[in-house]
Amino acid sequence: MTTLGIIGAGHIGSQVARVAVAHGYDVVISNSRGPETLAALVEELGPRARAATAAEAGEAGDVVVVTVPLRALDQIPVEPLAGKIVLDTNNYYFERDGHIEALDKGETTTSELLQQHLPTSKIAKAFNHIYAADITTDGAPAGTENRRALATAGDDAEAVAFVTRFYDEIGFDTVNVGPLSESWRVERDRPAYVVRQNAAELEANLAIANRLP
């Protein structure tokens, strides 16, 4: 069974861990404060989960989820993630992260920044435009009418295929935005951000997004 390494145990990271364990994945999860601070979460998750350092989570994961504040991207270990699929959940909050000129000007995306930091990893956008609580509650079986859809983006077909499969397993349809350079369409303050939408609605919201909202 696939092991997810999760770097960041905040709202999104914890919820991805819960939904992954519920669907048969093993999870190795880390945060910036040390594995011992995750004892309660690991106990909740059960025997499929364990806590570790960020480097250990990256090493253990067949696929790695990076879900840390944007300002902390440079602290993500590079070598343990080399060659691996990496899911980027990040959003740019200048109030938290400080202003980043290239993002303010629409010259890059958060996922492209992560790709620059992890040059040999296979980056795909995932889970950045859904409230964390909804990850474990809004899924529905394939074929359900009005099934909620989530977006992904990536330059690597294998990474996009994994996100598509994982979304479906946990109860969501997928809309592929295209390359990482188009992932801004599902970032903060765009029409598709943190609203419940089916695939057709998500596609429509992506189409009307402005690069500089």
Side-chain angles (χ1 to χ4, degrees), residues 1 15 45 54 165 199 203:
M1 176 54 68
Q15 285 290 82
L45 293 171
R165 183 171 68 253
E203 289 173 354

Side-chain angles (χ1 to χ4, degrees), residues 100-109 181 184 190 211-212:
I100 299 172
E101 185 177 7
L103 292 175
D104 289 337
K105 291 182 175 181
E107 295 172 348
T108 191
T109 65
S181 60
W184 60 267
R190 274 75 173 192
R211 184 65 194 254
L212 296 177

Side-chain angles (χ1 to χ4, degrees), residues 49 90 107 110 149 187 200 204:
N90 220 321
E107 295 172 348
T110 60
E187 289 181 347

Side-chain angles (χ1 to χ4, degrees), residues 8 12 40 83 96 139 142 165 169 174 180 185 202 208:
I12 294 177
R96 175 195 66 189
R165 183 171 68 253
E169 288 173 349
T174 305
L180 294 179
R185 292 183 179 275
L202 176 52
I208 63 174

